[in-house]
Amino acid sequence: MSIMPDHWIRDMALNHRMIDPFEPNQIKRSGTGEKLISFGTSSYGYDVRCGRNFKVFTNINSTIVDPKAFDSDSFQDVIDVDSCIIPPNSFALASTVETFDIPKSVLAICVGKSTYARCGIIVNVTPLEPEWVGQVTLEFSNTTTLPAKIYAGEGVAQLLFFEADEPCETTYRDRNGKYQHQRGVTLPKT
């Protein structure tokens, strides 16, 4: 199993629609020259962008966080915004701008970007398994005692693509994974 380089990522995105929309270069400035948190293709990864809709965790209902019986009222929707403020010691969910179609012999791992990590904002995403398709739900944890800001439309995390020496026997699609073809922010399912 090997980590895949920029030219492989470009080929898979442009010729096999692994990433859509796709940015073949690393973008650091907007069309007007404004500095951005970079997104697009890097040496051995792809920096994903955060969408414009968020679900911010709130403890206003004082409920128990239970992955088997998740209460969607634990979130406040923040819709169609350029940025989102995460309360201290809380978290928010968002989704990627990009949709992914992971090949059968590939596993993608997501890691945070140093710009956010250096501010105490941790990005958590589970692996993108072989033949998983959809937009990635991103979790941002604010580990600080101050409010933290996330920017929509800019880079928030990096995907690393690993190609196996041989394809697996059973893919995410084969076992009808419950998060297959998710769009937008997707809450826990049982």
Side-chain angles (χ1 to χ4, degrees):
M1 181 173 274
S2 300
I3 189 167
M4 304 312 291
D6 50 8
H7 58 89
W8 180 91
I9 296 167
R10 284 187 195 98
D11 176 61
M12 293 303 291
L14 295 171
N15 297 319
H16 303 281
R17 302 198 48 91
M18 182 176 74
I19 305 169
D20 185 45
F22 174 69
E23 177 50 57
N25 302 303
Q26 192 160 73
I27 304 300
K28 298 179 182 182
R29 293 194 178 273
S30 70
T32 61
E34 173 191 7
K35 284 185 180 181
L36 301 173
I37 299 174
S38 63
F39 65 91
T41 307
S42 63
S43 302
Y44 286 97
Y46 188 83
D47 292 1
V48 298
R49 293 172 286 172
C50 181
R52 299 175 50 83
N53 298 322
F54 297 83
K55 289 189 176 287
V56 179
F57 183 76
T58 175
N59 65 357
I60 196 166
N61 297 323
S62 298
T63 189
I64 294 173
V65 178
D66 183 348
K68 290 185 177 182
F70 196 81
D71 182 2
S72 62
D73 290 338
S74 296
F75 287 106
Q76 176 185 5
D77 289 331
V78 180
I79 305 297
D80 199 26
V81 295
D82 293 329
S83 63
C84 178
I85 303 298
I86 304 171
N89 300 308
S90 190
F91 74 96
L93 300 177
S95 66
T96 56
V97 168
E98 298 86 359
T99 298
F100 294 88
D101 188 342
I102 304 300
K104 185 173 186 170
S105 61
V106 174
L107 178 75
I109 304 292
C110 187
V111 294
K113 288 184 63 77
S114 61
T115 300
Y116 281 114
R118 293 167 197 232
C119 296
I121 302 166
I122 307 302
V123 181
N124 184 34
V125 174
T126 58
L128 282 61
E129 294 188 46
E131 294 195 325
W132 177 81
V133 176
Q135 289 179 308
V136 178
T137 295
L138 306 160
E139 186 252 334
F140 300 100
S141 292
N142 177 4
T143 65
T144 75
T145 57
L146 300 171
K149 191 173 194 177
I150 304 292
Y151 291 91
E154 299 188 30
V156 291
Q158 184 177 86
L159 287 180
L160 307 174
F161 300 92
F162 295 88
E163 188 167 38
D165 297 331
E166 59 183 78
C168 57
E169 288 181 3
T170 306
T171 68
Y172 195 81
R173 182 180 65 189
D174 294 338
R175 63 177 186 274
N176 297 315
K178 61 186 170 185
Y179 298 109
Q180 187 73 305
H181 297 289
Q182 67 185 19
R183 302 279 307 157
V185 180
T186 304
L187 296 179
K189 299 177 181 179
T190 55

